[in-house]
Amino acid sequence: MTITAMNNLFAFQKSPYTFFDEVKPKNGKYIKKIRLGIKDFYFCYHPDQARYILKDNIQNFPKSDLVLKKILPLSGPKGLIQLNDQEAKSVRHCAGLLMNPKKAQRLSTYVEGFVADEFERFDRAASNGEVVDFKPFLTNLVLRTAGIFILNEDIQERANALNESFVELNRMAGESLRSLIPKPFSFKRKKHLDIIHRELDKIIDDCLLADETSLLHELKKKGFSRSFMRDQVKAFMFAGYDTTASSLIFAVDSIARDLRVQEEVAKESELNYKDSKYAQAVYKESLRLYPSAYFLPRQCAHDDEIDGVKIKAGSNVFISIRHIHRNPEVYDNPNDFIPERFLEKPKHTHGFLPFGGGPRVCIGEPLAIMEATVVLKKLCERYLLEPVNPEPPEIEGLITAHTKSPLLLRLKRRESC
Ligand code: HEM
């Protein structure tokens, strides 16, 4: 291993999120070959490259084995994330059935309720001038919504044990991804996995007794086994929990810094979430600037070439979603928060990729958009939000990107409510 390859590996391990900035090529180039330890990686920064990998030449760029292995304990060996395109179809079909307009509407009423549950506390904080940390509230809301979607159960009561183990396993998976080298067996990891399996088995039993629809019910109708279903629950929780929570945190932080945007969202208060185009645009703009899934890992099956750079079969190709989202060819004033841009048609088919792209695009996208739209609307209808810290939050990223600090806000009740 050369010194440069070792230094690269250390730099990546220290901060994968900033590593993408550090190695970004200049002089009009958008792809960089980097040796990390003993392997070659290709970092891609342009939407045309994303189109090539995710659409035009998709057969040659399946998901990255390296990353799939790292997240296997969390996503389950038979969880959707790990399945090949053919196997994935029936699970994707089951999940799709739950996002039809009627079911989405039903779910949105739950989310409204979860926000309203906090109003008493928020009103008190508003009248006493107290500061509220929005992170635990938003994280809990996402977990409860995932519970309804996947299991048709409000897992509020059981959320603590699950939450702790999920967060811990997520952190361990992130650490392990960072090292890029296989990690030895870990008792701690096994302990958390046992907790998750035990809790999920109990929840799955209860859920299937109930006569309602959920992802589990749809999977059961297809005759899938218990362990297959449990893997799907894990995969959906893993893929949908951290990403959505962190995207909501970024979105609420972004509007708290922009009173004008809060006013515009509040103006839509009469509308159903589906018709609230401005609130949706706010969420998309926040996902553009702060995509929680900040890169897409792929692997090159056969030798290939992107923008004159030869890609060796077997190498990992990482698409930097974050840099594509700030490309000035695609977005005017790319670093500014301007939700209005999402009221118009996008300039590039692959210039906005917070949910990935191609046949394995995120299955939870409609759910995340619904959740965020409802949360933004309910908050802006009732309160004016103001950040305690005038500086934008610091961000770190392992598998997903997060703000480092709590989301401390001051609230004021709107006069109209
Ligand atoms: C803001 C929120 C979310 C973001 C940013 C996000 C992002 C992504 C991305 C980028 C992918 C593609 C990964 C790849 O191609 O390598 C993906 C896949 C996936 N997402 Fe999401 N996601 C979000 C919310 C959700 C939710 C709420 C759920 C479920 C309830 C979910 C479930 C999944 C699943 C199961 C996959 C794998 C799909 C497959 O392999 O066929 N996601 N997500």
Side-chain angles (χ1 to χ4, degrees):
M1 204 189 298
T2 66
I3 298 208
T4 319
M6 256 169 62
N7 286 343
N8 286 339
L9 186 60
F10 288 142
F12 183 83
Q13 283 174 347
K14 198 165 153 235
S15 170
Y17 187 79
T18 47
F19 190 74
F20 278 85
D21 296 325
E22 285 158 26
V23 300
K24 183 174 182 291
K26 298 190 178 74
N27 312 326
K29 297 232 174 337
Y30 284 98
I31 177 164
K32 184 79 171 249
K33 176 179 169 184
I34 299 280
R35 198 157 180 89
L36 286 178
I38 53 164
K39 290 192 173 116
D40 283 334
F41 287 71
Y42 297 82
F43 288 75
C44 297
Y45 294 88
H46 198 277
D48 288 343
Q49 296 165 348
R51 181 166 50 206
Y52 182 75
I53 295 164
L54 298 172
K55 183 168 178 272
D56 302 341
N57 205 11
I58 185 165
Q59 299 305 334
N60 203 29
F61 292 99
K63 293 186 185 186
S64 150
D65 263 351
L66 175 86
V67 174
L68 285 178
K69 273 198 199 115
K70 298 281 183 189
I71 61 174
L72 191 117
L74 260 181
S75 66
K78 282 283 159 198
L80 174 56
I81 300 172
Q82 302 279 344
L83 300 180
N84 66 35
D85 288 359
Q86 197 52 36
E87 296 169 314
K89 274 188 186 147
S90 53
V91 178
R92 290 184 67 93
H93 177 71
C94 290
L97 290 175
L98 293 166
M99 281 320 292
N100 71 36
K102 214 167 125 204
K103 300 223 166 87
Q105 187 63 44
R106 172 179 166 268
L107 269 174
S108 73
T109 357
Y110 277 100
V111 181
E112 283 180 6
F114 297 155
V115 184
D117 283 352
E118 304 294 326
F119 280 166
E120 212 183 301
R121 184 165 71 92
F122 289 170
D123 286 355
R124 229 181 9 253
S127 54
N128 299 340
E130 285 162 17
V131 168
V132 176
D133 180 3
F134 267 64
K135 257 191 180 174
F137 152 60
L138 293 170
T139 310
N140 189 259
L141 175 137
V142 171
L143 192 63
R144 289 175 82 184
T145 312
I148 303 284
F149 176 71
I150 303 169
L151 306 154
N152 192 40
E153 175 168 324
D154 183 356
I155 53 175
Q156 171 83 316
E157 299 299 316
R158 323 202 205 199
N160 283 348
L162 270 178
N163 191 7
E164 201 186 305
S165 292
F166 257 104
V167 168
E168 189 54 24
L169 278 175
N170 238 327
R171 198 192 54 73
M172 291 169 87
E175 291 294 338
S176 130
L177 177 69
R178 237 173 20 175
S179 84
L180 295 175
I181 301 164
K183 287 239 164 176
F185 176 83
S186 149
F187 280 105
K188 203 167 154 201
R189 190 171 75 189
K190 182 170 177 323
K191 186 189 100 184
H192 287 295
L193 271 177
D194 286 347
I195 293 175
I196 289 182
H197 290 171
R198 201 177 51 236
E199 289 299 317
L200 285 184
D201 276 344
K202 280 192 261 169
I203 298 178
I204 290 172
D205 283 338
D206 292 354
C207 165
L208 290 176
L209 283 178
D211 190 20
E212 290 271 3
T213 44
S214 70
L215 179 64
L216 270 189
H217 287 86
E218 296 298 337
L219 293 169
K220 189 161 180 239
K221 276 190 224 157
K222 294 225 170 190
F224 288 124
S225 71
R226 156 61 66 105
S227 70
F228 186 88
M229 289 199 282
R230 191 173 71 187
D231 276 1
Q232 302 321 319
V233 178
K234 280 169 67 181
F236 276 73
M237 295 284 252
F238 167 65
Y241 176 29
D242 205 36
T243 44
T244 313
S246 120
S247 74
L248 274 180
I249 290 163
F250 282 122
V252 172
D253 183 82
S254 303
I255 58 161
R257 294 173 193 285
D258 200 323
L259 266 180
R260 181 190 72 84
V261 168
Q262 290 182 44
E263 291 303 331
E264 291 299 321
V265 175
K267 278 187 201 158
E268 290 187 329
S269 59
E270 298 303 313
L271 300 179
N272 182 291
Y273 87 88
K274 276 203 221 73
D275 302 317
S276 303
K277 298 294 174 217
Y278 192 81
Q280 289 180 22
V282 170
Y283 182 50
K284 287 182 185 163
E285 177 67 345
S286 164
L287 280 168
R288 181 184 72 81
L289 286 169
Y290 312 107
S292 38
Y294 61 98
F295 74 101
L296 283 176
R298 292 293 182 266
Q299 192 169 349
C300 180
H302 306 287
D303 286 355
D304 209 320
E305 190 175 320
I306 297 180
D307 285 349
V309 175
K310 296 217 180 317
I311 317 278
K312 272 188 278 168
S315 343
N316 282 278
V317 177
F318 287 176
I319 305 170
S320 178
I321 298 181
R322 193 158 57 89
H323 290 90
I324 286 176
H325 283 184
R326 291 187 186 228
N327 185 320
E329 291 166 34
V330 186
Y331 298 102
D332 301 331
N333 304 314
N335 296 323
D336 295 348
F337 182 67
I338 310 173
E340 284 73 10
R341 63 171 107 238
F342 279 100
L343 299 174
E344 284 159 24
K345 209 169 166 275
K347 271 193 202 165
H348 195 294
T349 53
H350 287 70
F352 184 61
L353 298 167
F355 297 103
R360 304 304 289 273
V361 69
C362 175
I363 194 79
E365 174 178 349
L367 180 62
I369 291 182
M370 177 276 283
E371 271 180 83
T373 312
V374 171
V375 168
L376 294 175
K377 272 168 66 70
K378 295 290 285 176
L379 288 179
C380 291
E381 270 163 39
R382 196 171 174 96
Y383 304 103
L384 293 167
L385 311 171
E386 194 195 311
V388 168
N389 187 351
E391 297 302 317
E394 256 189 86
I395 302 171
E396 66 178 347
L398 293 173
I399 294 181
T400 50
H402 296 265
T403 55
K404 278 192 189 168
S405 43
L407 172 52
L408 301 180
L409 301 181
R410 286 205 179 79
L411 305 167
K412 224 193 259 165
R413 275 293 294 272
R414 274 185 188 276
E415 275 156 24
S416 51
C417 13

Short mmCIF file of all heavy atoms in Angstrom, two decimals, residues 31 127 175 192 261 297 327-328 332:
data_model
loop_
_atom_site.label_atom_id
_atom_site.label_comp_id
_atom_site.label_asym_id
_atom_site.label_seq_id
_atom_site.Cartn_x
_atom_site.Cartn_y
_atom_site.Cartn_z
N ILE A 31 -14.69 13.71 -12.36
CA ILE A 31 -14.52 12.34 -11.87
C ILE A 31 -13.09 12.19 -11.39
O ILE A 31 -12.16 12.73 -12.00
CB ILE A 31 -14.88 11.29 -12.96
CG1 ILE A 31 -14.61 9.87 -12.42
CG2 ILE A 31 -14.15 11.52 -14.27
CD1 ILE A 31 -15.28 8.78 -13.25
N SER A 127 -45.03 30.51 25.43
CA SER A 127 -45.43 31.58 26.35
C SER A 127 -44.38 31.83 27.43
O SER A 127 -44.27 32.94 27.94
CB SER A 127 -46.83 31.34 26.95
OG SER A 127 -46.86 30.09 27.53
N GLU A 175 -19.51 3.41 11.29
CA GLU A 175 -18.10 3.27 11.65
C GLU A 175 -17.44 2.20 10.80
O GLU A 175 -16.31 2.35 10.34
CB GLU A 175 -17.96 2.85 13.13
CG GLU A 175 -18.37 3.91 14.13
CD GLU A 175 -17.45 5.10 14.10
OE1 GLU A 175 -16.31 4.96 13.65
OE2 GLU A 175 -17.88 6.20 14.51
N HIS A 192 -27.33 -5.78 20.43
CA HIS A 192 -28.35 -4.88 19.87
C HIS A 192 -29.21 -5.57 18.83
O HIS A 192 -30.42 -5.35 18.77
CB HIS A 192 -27.68 -3.63 19.26
CG HIS A 192 -27.18 -2.71 20.32
ND1 HIS A 192 -28.02 -2.07 21.19
CD2 HIS A 192 -25.93 -2.33 20.65
CE1 HIS A 192 -27.31 -1.33 22.02
NE2 HIS A 192 -26.03 -1.48 21.72
N VAL A 261 -40.13 32.28 4.10
CA VAL A 261 -40.55 30.93 3.71
C VAL A 261 -41.63 30.41 4.68
O VAL A 261 -42.62 29.81 4.26
CB VAL A 261 -39.33 29.99 3.63
CG1 VAL A 261 -39.75 28.54 3.53
CG2 VAL A 261 -38.46 30.37 2.45
N PRO A 297 -23.59 4.47 -3.58
CA PRO A 297 -22.48 3.55 -3.85
C PRO A 297 -22.84 2.52 -4.92
O PRO A 297 -23.84 1.83 -4.80
CB PRO A 297 -22.27 2.87 -2.49
CG PRO A 297 -23.56 3.04 -1.74
CD PRO A 297 -24.39 4.08 -2.41
N ASN A 327 -24.58 21.91 -8.33
CA ASN A 327 -23.91 22.21 -9.60
C ASN A 327 -24.53 23.46 -10.23
O ASN A 327 -25.73 23.49 -10.50
CB ASN A 327 -24.07 21.00 -10.53
CG ASN A 327 -23.31 21.17 -11.83
OD1 ASN A 327 -23.29 22.27 -12.39
ND2 ASN A 327 -22.69 20.11 -12.29
N PRO A 328 -23.72 24.50 -10.48
CA PRO A 328 -24.28 25.74 -11.03
C PRO A 328 -24.85 25.61 -12.44
O PRO A 328 -25.63 26.46 -12.86
CB PRO A 328 -23.08 26.71 -11.01
CG PRO A 328 -21.88 25.87 -10.83
CD PRO A 328 -22.28 24.56 -10.23
N ASP A 332 -29.28 27.84 -10.45
CA ASP A 332 -28.76 29.20 -10.27
C ASP A 332 -28.57 29.40 -8.77
O ASP A 332 -29.35 28.88 -7.97
CB ASP A 332 -29.78 30.23 -10.78
CG ASP A 332 -30.09 30.01 -12.25
OD1 ASP A 332 -29.20 29.51 -12.97
OD2 ASP A 332 -31.23 30.29 -12.66
#
